[in-house]
Amino acid sequence: MESRLLFVAFLFFNILSSLSPLIMNVSASSRLKDYSYYEEHMRRNLLANGLATTPPMGWNSWNHFWCDIDEKIVRETADALVSTGLSKLGYNYVNIDDCWAELNRDEKGNLVPKKSTFPSGIKALADYVHSKGLKLGIYSDAGYFTCSKKMPGSLGHEEQDAMTFASWGIDYLKYDNCDNDGSKPTTRYPIMTQALMKAGRPIFFSLCEWGDMHPALWGARIGNSWRTTSDITDTWDSMLTRADMNERYADLARPGGWNDPDMLEVGNGGMTKDEYIVHFSLWAISKAPLLLGCDVRNVSKDIMDIIANEEVIAVNQDLLGVQAKMVRNEVWAAPLSKYRVVILLLNRESSQATITAYWDDIGIPQNSIVEARDLWEHETLKTKFVGNLTTTVESHACKMYVLKPVA
């Protein structure tokens, strides 16, 4: 795609200069300079790393372990993703968050893995994770220190750190926004983008900018995902607030770059099973990254049933890549590939509710006869629907269907 754009740009400059010699006296050499400028502009402003055709899936250490993370936990988590079968469902990133490095760089200015918790070093850990068929992610910050203030950030060391990450075999970088120099994120974040591109290893770039300057408006030029919200907590209200904030930017998500309402809290104990089903459903239909934030080494059957729901995961990973919108009060919908539509009927209230999805709200021709697949009950409803689908939803719960016109 990029090469086509560059070719079109070259043709544009040639045609314009040949048709308008009096207005634009452009020599062959200056046209080549224009082309070179455009090529450089594209290289610096489009990540184009071939990653994130679908939202990333995996695990991140922060929501459960905070700073209490070490290489043993990371190795055991990688083992658990494989042994539980989660890796086969797409959970492939094993991401270390804050607090993995020493507070001081070495004499050459390099980041140093914390000797007390990562004594084998990050490269050895990456080799282990890769041996499991998984990918390793790491964390840094577009500031002088990370948010914990227990390790240095990458501000002023972007190129050096990107080369270090590439040499270690890192596959994912979460890049935070703490303790910066006061300059805008739109100034600081592209420096790391360029550094990652120069490092020569495809590394998923996650902009953890907290939605400060509406990164959905500019993130696609710089990274593969961008935080649209402040940090989530393991509560019903926090989860819904972030889903709603994220929904505002639905039109800006696309294959290669995704809106990120923060990592999953499913399994950390702060919500009920039904509330966690809502959480997972909203993230899936919103094409959000599905990054588990619980201890996957110790997951109950109820939680495993949620995070391993292949039908819901398939919605998140659908190649059409369209993020859902709230098309009517508590009715969320998005088109899927193969002429299907996914809907989520959400009940935030404290009592049972009846909710209706109307065809004209969700993009299905009004007189279509539709088959409905219940993604949490794993059954295709016997009833066929015309014009709308109405169902009863329990308090703090949801219903999720894939609709397929059959006539």
Side-chain angles (χ1 to χ4, degrees), residues 81-239:
L81 289 174
V82 174
S83 64
T84 58
L86 288 171
S87 62
K88 290 183 178 179
L89 299 179
Y91 293 100
N92 292 321
Y93 285 105
V94 182
N95 293 345
I96 308 166
D97 210 283
D98 203 350
C99 308
W100 61 268
E102 297 286 359
L103 181 60
N104 297 311
R105 293 172 178 267
D106 68 14
E107 64 279 2
K108 295 182 180 179
N110 296 312
L111 291 166
V112 179
K114 197 170 183 180
K115 294 177 182 178
S116 62
T117 51
F118 292 90
S120 302
I122 302 300
K123 187 179 187 309
L125 190 56
D127 290 345
Y128 182 83
V129 170
H130 292 158
S131 75
K132 297 289 181 177
L134 304 173
K135 300 175 181 180
L136 186 69
I138 210 160
Y139 168 95
S140 190
D141 189 284
Y144 297 115
F145 294 94
T146 63
C147 295
S148 70
K149 297 190 183 300
K150 295 184 178 182
M151 60 173 278
S154 291
L155 186 63
H157 292 267
E158 291 88 352
E159 190 168 312
Q160 184 175 17
D161 290 354
M163 293 296 290
T164 297
F165 298 149
S167 71
W168 287 345
I170 294 300
D171 304 293
Y172 185 115
L173 173 62
K174 176 183 174 183
Y175 204 48
D176 222 328
N177 196 30
C178 288
D179 201 45
N180 60 70
D181 61 0
S183 62
K184 293 181 179 180
T186 48
T187 299
R188 286 177 286 113
Y189 278 78
I191 299 173
M192 181 55 83
T193 302
Q194 295 171 34
L196 291 172
M197 295 168 73
K198 188 173 181 179
R201 178 180 177 82
I203 296 177
F204 185 106
F205 192 23
S206 169
L207 315 179
C208 186
E209 188 261 11
W210 323 320
D212 179 30
M213 285 189 64
H214 307 286
L217 301 177
W218 46 268
R221 302 191 308 275
I222 295 171
N224 298 116
S225 67
W226 41 85
R227 276 278 294 279
T228 53
T229 72
S230 56
D231 289 0
I232 193 173
T233 59
D234 189 14
T235 67
W236 172 251
D237 288 341
S238 174
M239 179 270 294

Side-chain angles (χ1 to χ4, degrees), residues 320-396:
L320 195 60
V322 178
Q323 180 176 330
K325 296 180 182 180
M326 193 191 302
V327 296
R328 187 178 284 241
N329 189 31
E330 305 307 358
V331 177
W332 300 59
L336 299 175
S337 57
K338 300 180 180 178
Y339 306 103
R340 300 167 300 151
V341 174
V342 60
I343 61 171
L344 181 71
L345 309 180
L346 170 62
N347 182 7
R348 306 177 192 235
E349 305 305 322
S350 57
S351 59
Q352 190 182 80
T354 300
I355 303 175
T356 299
Y358 295 94
W359 285 187
D360 57 357
D361 286 334
I362 62 178
I364 295 178
Q366 184 62 29
N367 295 323
S368 297
I369 300 173
V370 169
E371 179 181 271
R373 175 74 177 177
D374 188 321
L375 302 191
W376 286 106
E377 295 298 329
H378 303 292
E379 65 177 8
T380 301
L381 304 186
K382 294 180 180 179
T383 302
K384 300 296 189 292
F385 300 87
V386 179
N388 66 79
L389 183 154
T390 299
T391 191
T392 300
V393 184
E394 298 301 320
S395 170
H396 287 208

Side-chain angles (χ1 to χ4, degrees), residues 236-342:
W236 172 251
D237 288 341
S238 174
M239 179 270 294
L240 289 179
T241 298
R242 276 135 196 85
D244 290 339
M245 292 172 66
N246 189 64
E247 189 266 349
R248 300 171 192 170
Y249 303 104
D251 288 334
L252 299 172
R254 69 199 74 170
W258 307 101
N259 293 319
D260 177 8
D262 206 2
M263 300 164 293
L264 291 162
E265 291 281 8
V266 179
N268 281 329
M271 289 183 257
T272 67
K273 179 182 178 180
D274 282 347
E275 290 171 342
Y276 279 142
I277 287 174
V278 171
H279 183 10
F280 195 75
S281 299
L282 280 169
W283 264 235
I285 201 171
S286 299
K287 300 297 186 292
L290 296 183
L291 296 176
L292 302 172
C294 61
D295 185 353
V296 297
R297 303 171 303 170
N298 300 289
V299 177
S300 68
K301 183 182 183 303
D302 280 350
I303 296 303
M304 185 60 70
D305 287 344
I306 296 172
I307 63 178
N309 186 324
E310 294 185 51
E311 296 189 74
V312 176
I313 291 171
V315 168
N316 179 262
Q317 297 290 297
D318 185 76
L319 292 177
L320 195 60
V322 178
Q323 180 176 330
K325 296 180 182 180
M326 193 191 302
V327 296
R328 187 178 284 241
N329 189 31
E330 305 307 358
V331 177
W332 300 59
L336 299 175
S337 57
K338 300 180 180 178
Y339 306 103
R340 300 167 300 151
V341 174
V342 60

